[in-house]
Structure formats: structure tokens, C-alpha cells
Amino acid sequence: MEFKGRAAVNLLTSAFVLIGLVAFLVFSLRPEASSVEYGSRQKKTFAAPKHNVWAELSEYEAAEVNDFIIKQATDLNLTLHPKSVQDNFIFMVETLKPNKTDTAPYLYDDAPIPERWAKVTISQTFEGDPYMVYYMAGPLPISENSRVLPLEWMFNSGRNYVANPIQSYDIILEFALSMAENVSDITQELLGATVNRQDPSDPHGLLAFPRGSRIETGGMVLWMQFYRPGMGSGARTLLPQGIYAKVDATSANIAAWKVGEWYYNGVIYANEHEFRAALDDPDFVRTPANIDGSWTDTEDFGEYPDRDLPPPVSIQPYGPRYKLDRKERFVSWFGFEFYVTTAQATGISLFDIRFKGERVMYELGLQKAMAHYAGDDPMQGGLEFMDSFFGMGKNMFELVPGYDCPAYADYLDSEWHQAYKTHNMPNSICIFEYTADHLLSRHTAQYSVTASRNTFLTVRGISTVGNYDYTIDYIFYMDGTLEVKVRASGFIFAAFYTANNTKCEDEYGHRIHDALSSSIHDHVLNWKADLDVAGPTNDMVRTAIEPVTKTYEWDQPEQPARNTMHLVEYPVTEETGLDWPANSGEFYIVYSSEEKNAWGERKGYRITSGTGMGSTPHLTILNSTTLGESARYAEHDLWVLRRKDTEPRSADPLMYLAPHDPIIEFSKMANHESLEHGAPDTSYDGDLVVYFNLGAHHVPHSGDVPNTLMHTSSSSVMFVPHNFADSDPSRQSVQGVRLQLQGKKSGGFAGEWFTGDESKTLLRHNNGDLRSRSEGGNGQGKTTARYFGATYEKGVEVPLEALEPDMRGYVSHSNAASELNFTGFGRGEAFGG
Amino acid sequence: MEFKGRAAVNLLTSAFVLIGLVAFLVFSLRPEASSVEYGSRQKKTFAAPKHNVWAELSEYEAAEVNDFIIKQATDLNLTLHPKSVQDNFIFMVETLKPNKTDTAPYLYDDAPIPERWAKVTISQTFEGDPYMVYYMAGPLPISENSRVLPLEWMFNSGRNYVANPIQSYDIILEFALSMAENVSDITQELLGATVNRQDPSDPHGLLAFPRGSRIETGGMVLWMQFYRPGMGSGARTLLPQGIYAKVDATSANIAAWKVGEWYYNGVIYANEHEFRAALDDPDFVRTPANIDGSWTDTEDFGEYPDRDLPPPVSIQPYGPRYKLDRKERFVSWFGFEFYVTTAQATGISLFDIRFKGERVMYELGLQKAMAHYAGDDPMQGGLEFMDSFFGMGKNMFELVPGYDCPAYADYLDSEWHQAYKTHNMPNSICIFEYTADHLLSRHTAQYSVTASRNTFLTVRGISTVGNYDYTIDYIFYMDGTLEVKVRASGFIFAAFYTANNTKCEDEYGHRIHDALSSSIHDHVLNWKADLDVAGPTNDMVRTAIEPVTKTYEWDQPEQPARNTMHLVEYPVTEETGLDWPANSGEFYIVYSSEEKNAWGERKGYRITSGTGMGSTPHLTILNSTTLGESARYAEHDLWVLRRKDTEPRSADPLMYLAPHDPIIEFSKMANHESLEHGAPDTSYDGDLVVYFNLGAHHVPHSGDVPNTLMHTSSSSVMFVPHNFADSDPSRQSVQGVRLQLQGKKSGGFAGEWFTGDESKTLLRHNNGDLRSRSEGGNGQGKTTARYFGATYEKGVEVPLEALEPDMRGYVSHSNAASELNFTGFGRGEAFGG
């Protein structure tokens, strides 16, 4: 016991000494000896060369603009607390993107920064009818020089306003509830449910939503369909109930609206009484309803074989290789430089994209996102969404770290300003590098192998507009290639499927649940790409690869003529729409009119359908009744136009409200003006702009339930350097390895019998000072690895956070917005065009 | 001092006690407490349900077959040590893939295993002319029942042999060297170099290679071009020298061959004397030569900004989730099951692919890989390669771990047997999972977000045939989608560019170096996909999405008719070739003729151009002079044919030797036989087979120097389930997270104003027993994460090997093969068709 006691004392006595020993032992056993602390390198501080003149208004600026307009434009009689669109109020303030003619001198010639203005949307009543009216306010910051002006110059309709037919979405829904209450007995009988006015979202209740159709004599006709709310899953659009009611909404006065025909199971009833009476008919054919259940769950928590191990995951132990100026939202990555901005209608845009110091694009951004349905029921038959109306930027919700983007991604917030309030969308943009599962380039030679990793940079936002989630990527590759990619997920907007033979759902989709049809639709998302390939003066050509029969002198006399192929260049000499060519047989290339590479070839960028599924399509429907004039951009895959300050975009979000009389007419923009420049008879300076479409013909099938899958819903257009540089620029950026298989030779073709005389080979790759792992491998017959770009030199201790981010850091507590319900804007529900 | 001394003693005294303490402290601080040892989980042992009846012959089997034939077929007069194709010898032995009619009873009905036979290629002389002749030997193992038979039934030409015009490639090259020596004065004058007969690979010397043209009167004409060997980089095909010589090779006797015309800089000279004389002409126009230099290096070891940090990398801390039976080469992954095999000509094939227990494909594999050039010089003008002739399997060289495939990939070897010898290609196939940079599906709802990771399985091999590297992937997705993808890299086969105006290189390419034209060419790689969608009886349809003007009852009276779209199904009723439709406006779907899903829809798989660049193209050239009848499959994107035992493949590698009189005529296979089945007037049982093409119209540009880049050279076809299951099968496989943003609700559309009554919501997602990270997050207004599939629960200590594999493990010491040089097979050099 004495020993024990003494040992205990000694232990205490020597504790201070031993702490050092233990600390040393622990330290020496820590991974730092053999591995590196995760994320230990600091990000570089970094400043953009210019200010981001396209940046969205700050909260301060927005408030300043609101205050200024309220004080200044007293004639508008604006209210701060609108109750309906009968009240005049400022609906939206946002940055009025400056004209390129004003920014170019600032960006490229060090002229002063251009004036900053706000674009203002005011909900305003004329003679009792509500309109959305565009104004511009500026310059900012507000000073005595600032003023409020009608914003007309960017709309080729000559108007700065759009009539707003949605006098009150709240009242429409109220009307729908009353209508539904009047047929509670019918819905109870056919659907086993009724509306719950006290709690519209009662999962056991019903909802009704309208699809509107404007009619030539003025006003609207609405078709309402019943839905189960799907509050357990958010799957409302998978829960149509197959009862439809027609509402005569031709009157501006909602009190005068009347419920007319009813539609059920392919049969039209003149009114609810006939419908009710029909139920008692012994020949009345009932169809099952769509009941919410686990089949709409977006996840399955069950235990299944093989998923008891987590999947591979990408890590970035040393931090990013891009540089980010968060204030100016400027990114620099291996020669690429660009500014990021956002807008409430269109989400992320990029400006002033350069590669290795040369201009590539002035602007790249979404213009409009359209989904057009077809069907033989009153809902799907006329359904169409313009998601920029609901707001591709407004609906950029917080990204899920480690899932939507890698755990190591950088995040940016976005903001939008509506009705005097600033909405912050936290972590709604992510930026990250990723190493593909495949190389950028490789070659196996006789005595060596070289492999270069394909690490790319992505800027991503996800717009969830109601039922559907659009993941939008801007992707940059080391060779100068840019890609714009959309992947769709979320719930499809399905149709009610009637099981009898009076309908013909196979014409419009597949049956995918009890009473559910997959409802075919076209997605067409329009993008603007203002290419400035090595400067603003560009030409577009179609370079065709064509079959030809030719006679060659060296072929004589054995082969009098030869069936072969050759290149034929067709200049695009006027504004036009192009489709991706049959058999991918043409390259669409935008060339610099002035700059050539070292070999005398024009510097160019090729525009091509990219790595989405097949070729990107355009709209199937010809001269759509629903769309009217609002989406003529959707009629071809690609458009080449003159760039003009007065035509800054292909579409306006408010066109959704007036598709037949749009504030911007795309067909007036793409009106065959000459694209030949330099000739004395034209004032065109050669600055062209391209509009292109992404999207899909979506024929959903059972695998789209519950959610559309992104690996097959992707759509992409790429801009690929074509003789832009003198050789592949990625060689100076890429990380990779050269394996020296034997001695010092490189050699010819792998598998070849030549062995050659090593002493005579050009040992260009054998510099002794290269970083390599060649210990024991220097001799003949051993493999030596020589690396270019940085490699991992030690193991890494990866913290859990880098594998599985702690979701308690997720900022958003709900994705609910609770204002301006009456406008019907911003929720992505059925309204139709 | 006493204290100090005592302390020291005490320290020693108590050392044994303290060791325990230190060990405890160290242990508690070791990563195991907070992280997991990398790759600590053992792979599961796993056995295939059946034998791999398609497996390549083992070395033992190949030797057995060789011995048997030599003993048995004494009339063939075979030699073991051939010196030229004038000697009869066994050129190749490989597995004769069993007929589907023989394997199906074994696979699906537990019948006995089918007989195993070898396919044997014998180089054999008839009346002094060499032929390649096909035999079959078996059954294996060799027994008294085994026999050697002519192999005729799989060739619709009715022949089992192909005349071999390459009497001796060695002698041809020898001839070329002599020819070049005779003009050493000219080459020295124009190119600054001469051939070095003692060391043909002398980097300062020259080489000459032929392109052959068969002529109608028999025999060949060769055009030889001079190249610099490019031994420093392996870039020979970037180093054409622009001097060409025509060789009259019509005689079977090479001694009778004669050098005729010479071609330089667009001018033809009748013979070397005229050429030599022209040099002295003051008007003679010289062009620069292409000199090897750092511009052909496949890597740049220089120091460049930003690449001082290694890029992100994918890790797999817990091992793979697939199961692999290495002996049978059988893989099982989240419902997918398939067998892997290889062949010397065509590389990897997959057999008996099932998904969730249902049949999807019997066979999926490459048939032929063709590259067809065009040009106005004598070399490129008639150049064409059939890379299955050189061997897409023979040239599957060792993969670079951590680069060609992730560090954690599994590797398989492949083997081929030529001239009595077995060649092992170590680590030439890799299998791995990868987690994409984007999700498989996601949805943001009002109070929840669900994100599901897109982790896919890849089986990869890389065939480097001379200058070019084809990365070939078979990719599997959790929803049942399969993808076949080819990415090309390596050196292009460039043309000599003459700087004067007598030529017109712009018609055939771009100038990319001093005297180098990029030389346009088409790649067309043909694949067989024997689909058995839910069984062998299938129908193929084209489901078109077409514009239509329709009158709907519910549209009246406001909208008399409506411009919309609908689906129209066109059954494919006879064997035919299809092209990807304009505007992607048709879905090509193979449906089960018998099986339907729960909703009554036919189980199907859609065939679509996938995630390569745009749509996969087919051959530009119409009725190619060079190809003759050897590649009719290249004329359309996709073919649908009856599956027949007598038509097991679309092409044979030896067709390269006799393109105008092919041993397999594809146009006889695709000969419009009816695909309607079940009717009394047809014997067709409904088992169809699809052939499809991958590839590209390759218009290389400066960015292809030194190597073509894979991110833009990719080409893909996908097979996507279409109503195959009742809903998305990936839900049971996928790993992901559901974020509960607030309370327990799910809710409607994100951004919606409904809040609802939480007590009434269907709380299907709130099971208390789910694994989740909800500490502190259970209350209102906090985010709770609930995971499905396994997650990372601890940090991970990643060893260097998992980030940057030790290349000393690379087995190959050179990629040189040194036998049968005389055949001219297997090196991918110019020969042409």
C-alpha cells in the first residue's frame, strides 16, 4: 500500500514535468506529423480591378430610392401599406443595369464609373384598372441631381406599363373557396374531402387554383381545378382531383364573376346542378382521386441493403484556388475573371468575363424561364408558366451545404426589394471547384503516360419556383470553355388522369399513379450571351462539315473521284434564329473581326449544345395560342442579333401578364437587320449578341415520381475556344502527373516495337530539379512520377464538418414569405397565360 | 537538486504506471475517437450467381487451344515461329462468345452451362497469297469431343477468311527507308534531316509511313509521307513533313514495287529526279517543316500562379458499396447486376445487365471504332482507321491510379493471346463509385428541403491506339439509367500545312502550328446494345412530340381552336436506321411487349443521345470511297434489327483489310426485315437488337495542341428507364438529407404564404426513431437534419495514398510490344483503307 501511495504522490509530484512529456508524445502522435490540418491555408485577400456596376441595390440604396420616389412623385399618390392593386405602391426596386456603351469606357478605357440608377416597378391604377409601370430613378446615391423618369427606352413596344389582370389573387382564391363550398356535397362524394375555409392548408381539405385565359373581347375566363393541399410533402402538383369549374371573369368587378360549366371525367356539365344530378345517374362513371401518401415523399428513410456506407465525397483540404472579392462579387480562377450579380426576376448573371486577360463576354444571364404544358383537360390544356415573373432570383432559396454544393464551397447571399422591404436570401449562390471523375487530357506513349486532372469552377444557384427546382450552373474549364447548365428537379405539374375511355391521356402523358397523368410540357429557358471575343467587334459564321465528291491530282489515275468531306463557311449576315444542325453538322463560331492567333487564324469561340441530354430543344408548339407574342425567342435554338442599348434583354417578367401585347417584342428585335459591318452603308459596329435556349421536351414517366431526376433532366450550352489561343491554355493551369515508365525515354506509340537509342532521345522531360516521387525509381525499368501543379504531399485529417456539414448552420427557418399575397406574384402556382 | 533528482527517480519509478496514463491519453486523442481509419471496412465476399460464360480465354485455355490445333490440324502446316505472313501460324485465339440462344436457358432457366469454344484466327497462305482465316475450336477444356471447324456461320458473306494485303509491314517500312535514303539530299535540303536506318527512332531522323489504297485492278497504291519520329513526346502525328511519295504496289512481289510520283507543297513531280531538279528552280516555293519541341509536350512543368495548391479530390473512406466477384467479373450495385468481359479487338463488354432483378440488356459492347479523315494531300485525303483492327482491347494500357480513376478504384487486368503468347494488360479496367458535383434530386418546400446525392458507378477502360486515347465508360445510375460514354484525348493525326496558296487547308482544317493543319475527321464508334427490357420480347417505338391545332370542348366558345402539342407514337415495324430527331422531337423507346408497370404502362427504356457534347453524330461522308462497304453502320445514329445468332456483331476487325468486300456486310443485316411479331406470318420472336454510334465531327483547332481535351470531346448514349418501375427506384438507394426548417411541417410551395395548422399536417417525416442531427434543433424555428442512407458520423484521417497514390505501384515498365512486327497489326500507324 505504501508503494501505491507513494506512486500516487510521485505521480502528483511529477505531474508538471509529465505534462510536458505527455504533451510531447501527444503532439508527436498527432496527425500533423504525417498529415495536414484540413483547410489550414488562408484564403488570399483579393480586390477586383473595378467596381461591380451591375450589383443589385443594397438595402440602403433600395430604401433611399423608395423614400426619394415617395417624396418626389407625389402625383403617384403612393401608399406604404397597400391592401390591393387598387392602391398605388412601389412594387419593386432593383438595379437598372447600366448600358454597355456607358460601362465599356469604364471597364476597358478607365473612364469614370457610369451613373447608377434604379429600375422601379410601381403598381398604379389608371381609370380604375391596375397596371404595373416601369420608372427609373437616379443617379444614386440620391442627390439634388436625382430624378424619377418613365422607363421606356428599353421596351420596343414604346410603352412602360403592363395591364395587371390579377386584380386580387386573394379574392380569386376566396372566390374559389366559396365556389368549392357550394359543391361540398359533390367533392365529399367524389373525393372524400371538402375545402376548409378556416385552414386552407388543412391536409385533409381541398384547394382550388385557377388557370386564366384572356379572351379577345376583354377580361378573362378561368378554369379552376381542385387539388389536395399536399401539406405533408409539398406535392400539391401531384394531387389534382379532376373536378374543374369554369368561371366567367370577363368583368373587372369580381362580384360579377359567375361559375359556369363543370368538368369531370371528360364530361362537361352546364352548371353545378347538372353535375350534382349526374352523380345519381346509374351510368355516371367515377374515377379514383389522388390521395397524398408516402408515394409523394421526397425521401425514403427505410433501411435498404448497401446504403449502410456513405458514398464517396469530394474534399478540398487546402482551400480554394480561386480568388473571390466578396464585396465586388468578383472571381478570378486560372485566367478567368468575371463579376457576379443577381436580379429578382432572373437570378444570377455574369458580367465582363475575360480569359487570360482577353475579353470573352460582356454579359451572360438568364432572360426568361418558360414551361408550356399540353393536355385535353381544362387545366393542363392551357397551362404555361413564365418563371421569371414569379422570380428566378426571388426564389433562390438557401443551398444545402455538402449536398447542393460541396461542403467546402463559398456562399454568397442575394437580395431583392419588394414593397419597401428587403428580402435577404442567405447562402443562395455557391462557388466551388470540383475535380471531375475523368481527366482533362491524357496520353499513353511508349515509355511514358501523362494524365491531367479536369478540375472546373462552378457558380451555382437554385431557383425553386413552386413545384420545380432549377439548378443553374455557370461552369468554367481550364482551357477557356464556359458552360451554362440547367438541371431540373422537384415535383412535376401533373394532370388528372381519368381511367375511362372518353379521354386520351396517352396523347399528353403517361399514367403514373392512381389518377395521375405525367402531362407533357416543354421547358424553354432563354439566355443572353453578349460575346465580345477578343473585343466587341465580332462575326458569326456557320462552319459546315459537308460531304463532297472531289477529284485530286494525286489520286489519278486510280481514283478518278473520291467521296469525302470538307468545310464550308457560311457567314451569318443578318439577324436570324438558328437551330442546332442535323447530324451536328455545323459549328457555330463567333470570331473576332480583328484579332488572330499566332497561326493567323481568327480568334473564336464556338457555341454548341453542350453536355446536357442530347441537343437542347426549342418549343414544339408552333405559334402557341397560350403564349401569343410573349416567347418568340423559344422558336429557335439560338439567335444572333445586333447588340443595342435599347434592346438589353429578350423579355420582361411582366410579359406574363399580357402575352398577346408584350412590352418587349422579341420578333421586333430579331428582325433581319444586317450583321455585316465596316461597309460604308451600315452603321453597325460589329457588336453582336447571342440569345440561346436551354430546356427539354419533358415527357415525364413513373421515374419522375416523386421528383424529376437531374442526371437526365440536364440541358447545356457551351462556349468553347476555337483558335482563341495559340495552343491549349490549360497546360499552365492543370494539375497532373507524368509517369516515366522506363529509363528516360518517351517514345512513340504505345505498343510499338521501336525501342530507339536512349542516348539520342530528346530528354525534355527529364529535368533533374522537378518535384517527383522517384525514390527507388530512378533506375531502368522503374516508374518515376513527375508532377505538374501542386500535389498532396501528406495525409489529411478531415473533420466531420468537411464530410457532413452541420446543418444547424442552415440559416433559413422557413421558406415562407407572407406579403403581397393579393398580387399573385411570386408563388409559382397555376395561373396560366 | 534533491528535488530534481528525486523527481527524476520518481519519474522512472512511476514510468510503468505512467505508460498506462500516456497510452490512455494518446489513445483518447488518437483520431479513432473523433475520426475513422481510412478504408477500414472490409470488402464483402461475394459470388456471382452464374459463371461468366463470356470471359476471355485464360492463359491456360489459350495454350490448350494452340496445342490442340497444332496437333489436330496438321494439314494447316503451322509454324510456331513465323517470320512473315507467308508462314502459316495461329495469329490469335480468343473466346468465341456463346450464342444467346445457348446462354439464355443457362442464365434464366437454370439449364446446363453452354459449351465453351475458342475463336481462332490463323494466318494462312493459299496459292502464295496470305489470308486471315477464322476457325472455331472446342468445346473446352479440350477433350476427345473437341474439334477444329471453319467458323462461317457468324459471317453473312459466307466466307471465313480475309485476304491480307499487308504481306510484310516490316518490308514495307524497309522499302520506305530505302526510298527515303535515295532522297536524303532532298530531305536534308528541305527538312534538315535524313532517315537513320540504324536507328529508325532517332529523334533527329525521319520516318516514312504509308497510306494504302486498294485499286480495282488488284493490288495497292501507297502514298508515303515523311514524319519526324517525335520520340521526345510521342507526338509523331503532329510532325508530318510534307514530302510524299507514291509507290506502285500492285505486284504481290514487293521487289517489283516502284516509287513513282513525289508531292511537295501542292505540286506533283513525276519522279524523284524532277523533284530534285525543281529545288534548283528559283521559283520553287519552300514551306517550313514541323520541328519537335516543347510545344508537343503533354505537360508543362513550369511554375504558374494559383496552381500551388492541389485541387479538390474525391475520397471513399469506408470502401465501396458495390460488390465485385473478381473471378467471375460480376458486379452488383444498388440493384444493377452485370458481367464484365473483354476482347482483344473491342475492349470491355458487359453481359446480362439486370436492374432490381429484371432483365435490361443481354449484351452491351463496342463493335468498331473508326476515324475517317479528309484532306487535299495524298496522306490525309484517303486516311481512315479501324481501331478495332489494331485492337481496342489489345491497347487497353495500365490506368494511372488517382488520375485515370479515383485513388480508391478497384482494378482488373485483361488478357489477349497472340501467336502462342498471352499478353497481360495490368490494371486496365477500373471500377469505382463517384459522387457527382450535382444532386440526383432535390426540392425546397415551405418548411423543408430534401437533397439526394447523385452517386454513380463507372466501369472504365482506356484504349490508346497509337496517337489517340479513348476513355470508354459504362456508367450506372441509381434510377436504372445506363450510359455509354467515350472521351477522346491524345494527339490528333494532323496534316501538313503548306503556307502558299496552291493548297486550301481551310477546307480541311485550321492552321495550328508552323506547317500543321488540324485535319478534320469523323469519329464513329459503333456499339451493340441487345436490349431485353423486362425480357427478350420487345417493341421499339418512336414517340414524337408534335405540334397540333386542336379543338377542345372546354375551350368553347372563347377559343375555337388551340395551337398546342401532343404525343404521336410511331412503331418501328422493320429493320431500319434512325437519326436523332430534329429539335430532339422524338423519344426512341424500347418497350416490353408483355410486361407493364403498376399503372398499366408498358415497361420501357428510352434510348437517347446522352451527356456528351450535343447529339452524337454519324459519318458526314456519303458512300465513302475509302470505307467501301466496311462501315455502313456509320450512316445513321441508331439501328434497330432482329437479333440473330448468325449476326452477333456489326463488324469484324479484319474488315479493315478488305473494306470493299467485307466478311460481314452490315447492310445485309439491316435489310428491312419485319419487326412485327406474334403475327402468324412471321417467325420473328420479338428479340430486337440496337446498334448505335458514338463519336464526333472533329474540327481540331489550336486548343487541340498538344492533346485533345476530354471535357469537350465526349460523346454519350443513355438508356433511361421509361415507366420501367412504378416510381423512382433511386429512393431506396440514394443517400441524402431532409432539413426540417421549422417545427414539424412540410408545407406547400417555398415562398408561399400559407402557414397552416401544424397539428393537422401529415407528419410522415417526423418518425422519432430516425437517425438525425437534431440536438438543440428540435424546437420551433430550428433546423433539424434527418438523413437517409449512411452519413459520415466522424472525421476521417485520410492517408496520402488515398489522395496521391504512390506511382511506384504502377506495374507497367513500358508500353512496348515487340513481336509480329511484320503483320502491321496493333500499332495504330497510318495505313489507311
Side-chain angles (χ1 to χ4, degrees), chain A residues 3-4 7-8 11, chain B residues 11-23:
Chain A
F3 177 78
K4 193 180 177 186
L11 216 162
Chain B
L11 216 162
L12 287 170
T13 312
S14 57
F16 293 100
V17 177
L18 285 170
I19 282 167
L21 173 65
V22 169

Side-chain angles (χ1 to χ4, degrees), chain A residues 30-101:
Chain A
R30 278 201 56 197
E32 288 186 22
S34 61
S35 67
V36 174
E37 200 184 339
Y38 194 86
S40 55
R41 304 240 189 151
Q42 288 301 307
K43 291 172 191 174
K44 296 157 185 163
T45 57
F46 175 66
K50 302 276 177 172
H51 289 291
N52 187 333
V53 295
W54 313 272
E56 186 50 287
L57 299 185
S58 68
E59 183 165 9
Y60 177 84
E61 287 177 316
E64 194 183 26
V65 169
N66 282 325
D67 290 349
F68 176 68
I69 294 171
I70 286 168
K71 283 181 199 135
Q72 189 79 8
T74 50
D75 55 318
L76 294 178
N77 196 25
L78 296 168
T79 174
L80 283 176
H81 303 287
K83 297 281 175 276
S84 81
V85 290
Q86 301 296 334
D87 297 328
N88 290 0
F89 64 98
I90 301 175
F91 179 61
M92 190 77 69
V93 295
E94 58 195 308
T95 297
L96 179 62
K97 303 277 192 281
N99 286 334
K100 185 178 180 182
T101 45

Side-chain angles (χ1 to χ4, degrees), chain B residues 403-655:
Chain B
Y403 287 81
D404 281 322
C405 315
Y408 53 76
D410 273 300
Y411 294 90
L412 298 173
D413 299 348
S414 58
E415 293 186 335
W416 50 282
H417 315 285
Q418 184 176 285
Y420 317 112
K421 203 168 161 183
T422 291
H423 298 256
N424 180 51
M425 309 300 282
N427 305 322
S428 52
I429 303 167
C430 71
I431 302 173
F432 61 89
E433 278 189 288
Y434 211 78
T435 299
D437 74 318
H438 61 276
L439 295 173
L440 188 59
S441 69
R442 76 172 320 285
H443 184 59
T444 296
Q446 200 174 2
Y447 300 105
S448 66
V449 187
T450 298
S452 301
R453 282 191 172 130
N454 181 15
T455 302
F456 54 87
L457 179 77
T458 300
V459 177
R460 174 173 292 169
I462 302 181
S463 301
T464 301
V465 187
N467 52 307
Y468 228 48
D469 302 57
Y470 298 96
T471 299
I472 299 179
D473 286 0
Y474 296 93
I475 310 169
F476 300 84
Y477 299 93
M478 288 184 169
D479 69 323
T481 295
L482 278 92
E483 182 169 15
V484 184
K485 198 163 194 168
V486 175
R487 297 182 178 92
S489 192
F491 292 104
I492 59 170
F493 203 118
F496 189 79
Y497 179 93
T498 56
N500 64 359
N501 286 326
T502 63
K503 287 187 73 201
C504 40
E505 287 80 6
D506 286 345
E507 213 178 320
Y508 303 102
H510 297 290
R511 186 175 174 220
I512 52 173
H513 204 72
D514 293 331
L516 204 61
S517 165
S518 66
S519 193
I520 57 167
H521 54 280
D522 274 5
H523 292 279
V524 188
L525 298 95
N526 188 246
W527 252 268
K528 177 181 182 180
D530 179 358
L531 287 119
D532 287 351
V533 177
T537 312
N538 289 175
D539 299 286
M540 177 143 181
V541 304
R542 295 162 35 225
T543 297
I545 307 132
E546 294 185 355
V548 69
T549 302
K550 279 261 199 180
T551 296
Y552 298 103
E553 198 182 352
W554 45 259
D555 238 350
Q556 307 311 318
E558 298 84 6
Q559 193 70 53
R562 179 178 285 274
N563 295 332
T564 182
M565 62 182 169
H566 66 158
L567 298 176
V568 183
E569 184 172 301
Y570 300 100
V572 178
T573 58
E574 61 171 46
E575 294 182 333
T576 191
L578 298 171
D579 294 334
W580 303 122
N583 193 25
S584 303
E586 295 185 0
F587 279 30
Y588 297 156
I589 306 173
V590 174
Y591 281 122
S592 168
S593 311
E594 290 151 3
E595 302 292 325
K596 296 187 171 182
N597 72 10
W599 319 115
E601 298 280 350
R602 292 162 291 177
K603 287 171 172 278
Y605 261 80
R606 178 184 170 204
I607 309 173
T608 174
S609 188
T611 63
M613 284 276 283
S615 277
T616 63
H618 55 268
L619 188 67
T620 300
I621 301 172
L622 303 176
N623 197 21
S624 159
T625 299
T626 310
L627 288 171
E629 295 295 319
S630 66
R632 294 290 178 192
Y633 64 79
E635 295 179 346
H636 290 290
D637 293 327
L638 185 73
W639 302 83
V640 197
L641 273 63
R642 290 187 179 189
R643 192 214 63 78
K644 296 176 186 173
D645 284 345
T646 52
E647 293 175 353
R649 49 192 298 173
S650 64
D652 185 89
L654 296 183
M655 285 159 59

Side-chain angles (χ1 to χ4, degrees), chain A residues 10 18 26 29 41 199 201 203 223 231-232 234 236 246 293 297-299 307 309 311-313 315 321 376 402-404 434-435 437 439-440 442-444 446 450 453 460 469 479 489-490 507-508 510-511 550 552 554 556 558 562-563 566-567 583-584 601 609-610 612 614-615 618 623 625-626 697 701-702 705 710-711 721-723 725 728 731 734-735 741-742 746-747 751-753 756 760 764-765 781 790 792 795-796 798 804 813 815 827 829, chain B residues 10 18 26 29 41 201 203 223 231-232 234 236 246 293 296-299 307 309 311-313 315 321 376 402-404 434-435 437 439-440 442-444 446 450 453 460 469 479 487 489-490 507-508 510-511 550 552 554 556 558 562-563 566-567 583-584 601 609-610 612 614-615 618 623 625-626 697 701-702 705 710-711 721-723 725 728 731 734-735 741-742 746-747 751-753 756-757 760 764-765 781 790 792 795-796 798 813 815 827 829:
Chain A
N10 287 346
L18 285 170
V26 168
L29 284 163
R41 304 240 189 151
D199 179 8
S201 70
W223 271 102
M231 296 308 285
R236 189 178 309 156
K246 189 174 186 177
D297 285 357
T298 49
E299 59 285 302
R307 69 170 188 178
L309 294 180
V313 64
I315 59 170
R321 287 118 44 97
D376 71 348
Y403 288 81
D404 281 324
Y434 210 80
T435 300
D437 74 315
L439 295 173
L440 188 59
R442 77 172 319 286
H443 183 58
T444 296
Q446 200 173 2
T450 298
R453 282 195 173 125
R460 173 174 293 168
D469 301 57
D479 68 324
S489 191
E507 214 178 320
Y508 302 102
H510 297 290
R511 186 173 174 223
K550 280 261 198 180
Y552 298 104
W554 45 259
Q556 307 311 318
E558 298 85 4
R562 179 179 286 275
N563 295 332
H566 66 157
L567 298 176
N583 192 27
S584 303
E601 298 281 349
S609 187
S615 277
H618 55 268
N623 198 21
T625 299
T626 309
H697 304 307
H701 67 99
S702 58
V705 176
M710 292 203 227
H711 66 319
H722 199 86
N723 294 317
D728 170 23
R731 297 286 144 167
V734 77
Q735 186 268 329
L741 301 186
Q742 196 178 51
S746 177
E752 197 169 48
W753 79 105
K760 289 185 182 169
R764 292 201 307 273
H765 304 294
Y792 292 95
V796 173
V798 181
E804 202 66 70
H813 292 160
N815 289 315
R827 69 177 71 99
E829 266 148 25
Chain B
N10 287 344
L18 285 170
V26 169
L29 284 163
R41 301 241 190 151
S201 70
W223 270 102
M231 296 307 285
R236 189 178 309 157
K246 188 174 185 177
T296 67
D297 285 356
T298 50
E299 59 284 304
R307 69 169 187 177
L309 294 180
V313 64
I315 58 170
R321 286 116 46 95
D376 69 349
Y403 287 81
D404 281 322
Y434 211 78
T435 299
D437 74 318
L439 295 173
L440 188 59
R442 76 172 320 285
H443 184 59
T444 296
Q446 200 174 2
T450 298
R453 282 191 172 130
R460 174 173 292 169
D469 302 57
D479 69 323
R487 297 182 178 92
S489 192
E507 213 178 320
Y508 303 102
H510 297 290
R511 186 175 174 220
K550 279 261 199 180
Y552 298 103
W554 45 259
Q556 307 311 318
E558 298 84 6
R562 179 178 285 274
N563 295 332
H566 66 158
L567 298 176
N583 193 25
S584 303
E601 298 280 350
S609 188
S615 277
H618 55 268
N623 197 21
T625 299
T626 310
H697 303 307
H701 67 99
S702 60
V705 176
M710 292 203 227
H711 67 318
H722 200 85
N723 294 317
D728 170 23
R731 297 287 145 166
V734 77
Q735 186 268 331
L741 301 185
Q742 195 179 53
S746 177
E752 196 169 47
W753 78 105
D757 181 345
K760 290 186 183 167
R764 291 202 305 274
H765 304 295
Y792 292 94
V796 173
V798 182
H813 291 159
N815 288 314
R827 70 176 71 96
E829 267 149 21

Side-chain angles (χ1 to χ4, degrees), chain B residues 723-830:
Chain B
N723 294 317
F724 190 69
D726 300 337
S727 65
D728 170 23
S730 78
R731 297 287 145 166
Q732 303 183 349
S733 313
V734 77
Q735 186 268 331
V737 65
R738 175 192 169 89
L739 298 185
Q740 190 65 50
L741 301 185
Q742 195 179 53
K744 299 171 176 178
K745 294 172 292 195
S746 177
F749 297 155
E752 196 169 47
W753 78 105
F754 280 147
T755 52
D757 181 345
E758 180 162 332
S759 68
K760 290 186 183 167
T761 57
L762 301 166
L763 303 175
R764 291 202 305 274
H765 304 295
N766 204 33
N767 318 7
D769 59 342
L770 295 171
R771 193 156 34 105
S772 65
R773 295 230 188 88
S774 57
E775 306 82 13
N778 280 322
Q780 287 283 116
K782 296 278 179 60
T783 297
T784 307
R786 295 196 179 84
Y787 297 91
F788 40 97
T791 57
Y792 292 94
E793 304 286 339
K794 292 179 176 182
V796 173
E797 194 178 0
V798 182
L800 177 57
E801 184 66 15
L803 302 167
E804 202 65 70
D806 187 341
M807 296 300 176
R808 284 173 293 173
Y810 199 79
V811 179
S812 297
H813 291 159
S814 81
N815 288 314
S818 56
E819 52 199 308
L820 293 189
N821 306 330
F822 59 81
T823 65
F825 291 31
R827 70 176 71 96
E829 267 149 21

